[in-house]
Short mmCIF file of all heavy atoms in Angstrom, two decimals:
data_model
loop_
_atom_site.label_atom_id
_atom_site.label_comp_id
_atom_site.label_asym_id
_atom_site.label_seq_id
_atom_site.Cartn_x
_atom_site.Cartn_y
_atom_site.Cartn_z
N LEU W 1 7.03 2.30 -3.31
CA LEU W 1 6.21 3.41 -2.81
C LEU W 1 5.72 3.08 -1.41
O LEU W 1 5.18 2.00 -1.17
CB LEU W 1 5.00 3.66 -3.72
CG LEU W 1 4.15 4.84 -3.23
CD1 LEU W 1 4.80 6.16 -3.63
CD2 LEU W 1 2.75 4.75 -3.74
N ASP W 2 5.90 4.02 -0.51
CA ASP W 2 5.44 3.88 0.87
C ASP W 2 4.54 5.06 1.18
O ASP W 2 4.91 6.21 0.99
CB ASP W 2 6.65 3.87 1.81
CG ASP W 2 6.27 3.63 3.25
OD1 ASP W 2 5.15 3.14 3.50
OD2 ASP W 2 7.09 3.92 4.13
N GLY W 3 3.35 4.77 1.64
CA GLY W 3 2.44 5.82 2.06
C GLY W 3 1.19 5.89 1.22
O GLY W 3 1.25 5.92 0.00
N GLY W 4 0.05 5.87 1.89
CA GLY W 4 -1.22 6.06 1.22
C GLY W 4 -1.82 4.83 0.58
O GLY W 4 -2.86 4.92 -0.06
N ILE W 5 -1.21 3.68 0.76
CA ILE W 5 -1.75 2.45 0.16
C ILE W 5 -2.77 1.85 1.13
O ILE W 5 -2.42 1.37 2.20
CB ILE W 5 -0.62 1.43 -0.13
CG1 ILE W 5 0.43 2.04 -1.05
CG2 ILE W 5 -1.21 0.14 -0.70
CD1 ILE W 5 -0.06 2.42 -2.43
N ARG W 6 -4.02 1.94 0.74
CA ARG W 6 -5.11 1.45 1.61
C ARG W 6 -5.94 0.35 0.95
O ARG W 6 -6.64 -0.39 1.62
CB ARG W 6 -6.06 2.60 1.98
CG ARG W 6 -5.39 3.76 2.66
CD ARG W 6 -5.01 3.41 4.10
NE ARG W 6 -4.42 4.56 4.76
CZ ARG W 6 -3.11 4.77 4.87
NH1 ARG W 6 -2.25 3.92 4.38
NH2 ARG W 6 -2.66 5.84 5.49
N ARG W 7 -5.91 0.29 -0.39
CA ARG W 7 -6.73 -0.69 -1.11
C ARG W 7 -6.04 -1.09 -2.40
O ARG W 7 -5.04 -0.47 -2.79
CB ARG W 7 -8.12 -0.11 -1.38
CG ARG W 7 -8.10 1.17 -2.19
CD ARG W 7 -9.45 1.87 -2.25
NE ARG W 7 -9.95 2.31 -0.98
CZ ARG W 7 -9.59 3.44 -0.37
NH1 ARG W 7 -8.74 4.25 -0.93
NH2 ARG W 7 -10.10 3.76 0.79
N GLY W 8 -6.57 -2.10 -3.05
CA GLY W 8 -5.97 -2.61 -4.28
C GLY W 8 -5.85 -1.56 -5.37
O GLY W 8 -4.89 -1.57 -6.14
N GLY W 9 -6.82 -0.66 -5.46
CA GLY W 9 -6.74 0.40 -6.46
C GLY W 9 -5.54 1.30 -6.26
O GLY W 9 -4.95 1.79 -7.23
N ASP W 10 -5.14 1.50 -5.00
CA ASP W 10 -3.95 2.29 -4.72
C ASP W 10 -2.69 1.57 -5.22
O ASP W 10 -1.77 2.19 -5.73
CB ASP W 10 -3.81 2.56 -3.22
CG ASP W 10 -4.99 3.33 -2.63
OD1 ASP W 10 -5.60 4.15 -3.35
OD2 ASP W 10 -5.28 3.12 -1.44
N VAL W 11 -2.69 0.26 -5.07
CA VAL W 11 -1.55 -0.55 -5.55
C VAL W 11 -1.46 -0.44 -7.07
O VAL W 11 -0.38 -0.19 -7.62
CB VAL W 11 -1.69 -2.02 -5.12
CG1 VAL W 11 -0.57 -2.86 -5.73
CG2 VAL W 11 -1.72 -2.16 -3.61
N ALA W 12 -2.59 -0.61 -7.75
CA ALA W 12 -2.60 -0.53 -9.21
C ALA W 12 -2.09 0.83 -9.68
O ALA W 12 -1.30 0.92 -10.63
CB ALA W 12 -4.00 -0.80 -9.75
N LYS W 13 -2.53 1.88 -9.04
CA LYS W 13 -2.11 3.23 -9.42
C LYS W 13 -0.60 3.39 -9.24
O LYS W 13 0.09 3.93 -10.11
CB LYS W 13 -2.85 4.27 -8.57
CG LYS W 13 -2.57 5.69 -8.95
CD LYS W 13 -3.36 6.62 -8.04
CE LYS W 13 -3.88 7.80 -8.78
NZ LYS W 13 -4.64 8.71 -7.92
N ALA W 14 -0.07 2.94 -8.10
CA ALA W 14 1.36 3.06 -7.84
C ALA W 14 2.17 2.27 -8.87
O ALA W 14 3.19 2.76 -9.38
CB ALA W 14 1.69 2.59 -6.43
N LEU W 15 1.73 1.07 -9.20
CA LEU W 15 2.44 0.27 -10.19
C LEU W 15 2.39 0.93 -11.56
O LEU W 15 3.39 0.94 -12.29
CB LEU W 15 1.86 -1.15 -10.24
CG LEU W 15 2.02 -1.97 -8.96
CD1 LEU W 15 1.30 -3.31 -9.11
CD2 LEU W 15 3.47 -2.16 -8.57
N ALA W 16 1.25 1.48 -11.91
CA ALA W 16 1.12 2.16 -13.20
C ALA W 16 2.03 3.38 -13.29
O ALA W 16 2.57 3.68 -14.36
CB ALA W 16 -0.34 2.59 -13.42
N LEU W 17 2.22 4.07 -12.17
CA LEU W 17 3.00 5.30 -12.18
C LEU W 17 4.49 5.09 -11.95
O LEU W 17 5.23 6.06 -11.84
CB LEU W 17 2.43 6.28 -11.15
CG LEU W 17 1.01 6.76 -11.45
CD1 LEU W 17 0.50 7.66 -10.34
CD2 LEU W 17 0.95 7.47 -12.80
N GLY W 18 4.92 3.83 -11.87
CA GLY W 18 6.36 3.57 -11.84
C GLY W 18 6.91 2.81 -10.67
O GLY W 18 8.10 2.49 -10.64
N ALA W 19 6.10 2.48 -9.68
CA ALA W 19 6.60 1.69 -8.56
C ALA W 19 6.77 0.24 -8.97
O ALA W 19 5.97 -0.29 -9.73
CB ALA W 19 5.65 1.78 -7.37
N ARG W 20 7.80 -0.38 -8.47
CA ARG W 20 8.01 -1.82 -8.69
C ARG W 20 7.20 -2.61 -7.66
O ARG W 20 6.77 -3.72 -7.90
CB ARG W 20 9.50 -2.11 -8.58
CG ARG W 20 9.89 -3.52 -8.56
CD ARG W 20 9.76 -4.14 -9.91
NE ARG W 20 10.18 -5.52 -9.84
CZ ARG W 20 10.54 -6.21 -10.87
NH1 ARG W 20 10.55 -5.66 -12.06
NH2 ARG W 20 10.90 -7.45 -10.74
N ALA W 21 7.03 -2.00 -6.48
CA ALA W 21 6.28 -2.63 -5.38
C ALA W 21 5.81 -1.52 -4.45
O ALA W 21 6.25 -0.38 -4.55
CB ALA W 21 7.18 -3.62 -4.63
N VAL W 22 4.90 -1.89 -3.55
CA VAL W 22 4.40 -0.94 -2.56
C VAL W 22 4.60 -1.53 -1.17
O VAL W 22 4.69 -2.74 -1.00
CB VAL W 22 2.90 -0.60 -2.78
CG1 VAL W 22 2.68 0.04 -4.12
CG2 VAL W 22 2.04 -1.82 -2.60
N LEU W 23 4.64 -0.65 -0.19
CA LEU W 23 4.75 -1.05 1.21
C LEU W 23 3.40 -0.79 1.88
O LEU W 23 2.81 0.27 1.69
CB LEU W 23 5.86 -0.26 1.89
CG LEU W 23 7.22 -0.35 1.19
CD1 LEU W 23 8.23 0.59 1.84
CD2 LEU W 23 7.74 -1.77 1.17
N ILE W 24 2.91 -1.77 2.61
CA ILE W 24 1.56 -1.65 3.19
C ILE W 24 1.60 -1.86 4.69
O ILE W 24 0.79 -2.59 5.25
CB ILE W 24 0.56 -2.61 2.52
CG1 ILE W 24 1.03 -4.06 2.67
CG2 ILE W 24 0.32 -2.25 1.08
CD1 ILE W 24 -0.06 -5.08 2.40
N GLY W 25 2.47 -1.19 5.37
CA GLY W 25 2.64 -1.38 6.81
C GLY W 25 1.37 -1.23 7.62
O GLY W 25 1.02 -2.09 8.42
N ARG W 26 0.68 -0.12 7.44
CA ARG W 26 -0.49 0.15 8.28
C ARG W 26 -1.61 -0.87 8.03
O ARG W 26 -2.18 -1.40 8.98
CB ARG W 26 -1.00 1.56 8.04
CG ARG W 26 -2.07 1.95 9.03
CD ARG W 26 -2.45 3.39 8.91
NE ARG W 26 -1.28 4.23 9.18
CZ ARG W 26 -1.23 5.53 8.98
NH1 ARG W 26 -2.27 6.15 8.47
NH2 ARG W 26 -0.16 6.21 9.25
N ALA W 27 -1.90 -1.15 6.79
CA ALA W 27 -2.97 -2.11 6.48
C ALA W 27 -2.64 -3.49 7.06
O ALA W 27 -3.50 -4.17 7.62
CB ALA W 27 -3.19 -2.20 4.98
N ARG W 28 -1.39 -3.88 6.93
CA ARG W 28 -0.94 -5.17 7.47
C ARG W 28 -1.11 -5.19 8.98
O ARG W 28 -1.58 -6.17 9.56
CB ARG W 28 0.51 -5.40 7.07
CG ARG W 28 1.15 -6.62 7.67
CD ARG W 28 2.65 -6.67 7.39
NE ARG W 28 3.34 -5.43 7.66
CZ ARG W 28 3.85 -5.09 8.85
NH1 ARG W 28 3.71 -5.89 9.88
NH2 ARG W 28 4.50 -3.95 9.00
N LEU W 29 -0.74 -4.09 9.63
CA LEU W 29 -0.86 -4.03 11.09
C LEU W 29 -2.32 -4.06 11.54
O LEU W 29 -2.64 -4.66 12.57
CB LEU W 29 -0.14 -2.80 11.63
CG LEU W 29 1.38 -2.87 11.53
CD1 LEU W 29 2.00 -1.54 11.98
CD2 LEU W 29 1.94 -4.02 12.34
N TRP W 30 -3.20 -3.40 10.78
CA TRP W 30 -4.62 -3.45 11.13
C TRP W 30 -5.12 -4.89 11.07
O TRP W 30 -5.86 -5.35 11.94
CB TRP W 30 -5.44 -2.59 10.18
CG TRP W 30 -5.30 -1.12 10.41
CD1 TRP W 30 -4.88 -0.47 11.55
CD2 TRP W 30 -5.59 -0.09 9.48
NE1 TRP W 30 -4.89 0.87 11.36
CE2 TRP W 30 -5.32 1.16 10.10
CE3 TRP W 30 -6.04 -0.08 8.17
CZ2 TRP W 30 -5.49 2.37 9.47
CZ3 TRP W 30 -6.22 1.13 7.53
CH2 TRP W 30 -5.94 2.35 8.18
N GLY W 31 -4.74 -5.61 10.01
CA GLY W 31 -5.14 -7.01 9.89
C GLY W 31 -4.59 -7.85 11.02
O GLY W 31 -5.30 -8.69 11.59
N LEU W 32 -3.33 -7.63 11.36
CA LEU W 32 -2.69 -8.38 12.44
C LEU W 32 -3.39 -8.12 13.76
O LEU W 32 -3.69 -9.05 14.52
CB LEU W 32 -1.21 -7.99 12.54
CG LEU W 32 -0.38 -8.72 13.58
CD1 LEU W 32 -0.29 -10.20 13.25
CD2 LEU W 32 1.02 -8.10 13.65
N ALA W 33 -3.68 -6.85 14.05
CA ALA W 33 -4.34 -6.50 15.31
C ALA W 33 -5.76 -7.08 15.37
O ALA W 33 -6.22 -7.48 16.45
CB ALA W 33 -4.39 -4.99 15.46
#
């Protein structure tokens, strides 16, 4: 799942609904910056 992952609760929801993994590009980039 790509899109809308901003916090751990979003990850849990995506995994529960069928995702094997999530992509967190924007959050990772914020941390990097």
Side-chain angles (χ1 to χ4, degrees):
L1 182 79
D2 184 17
I5 303 297
R6 303 287 182 263
R7 58 190 63 82
D10 299 330
V11 175
K13 185 180 218 180
L15 296 175
L17 295 177
R20 171 74 179 200
V22 299
L23 305 174
I24 59 164
R26 188 172 299 170
R28 174 188 48 88
L29 290 175
W30 286 339
L32 182 64

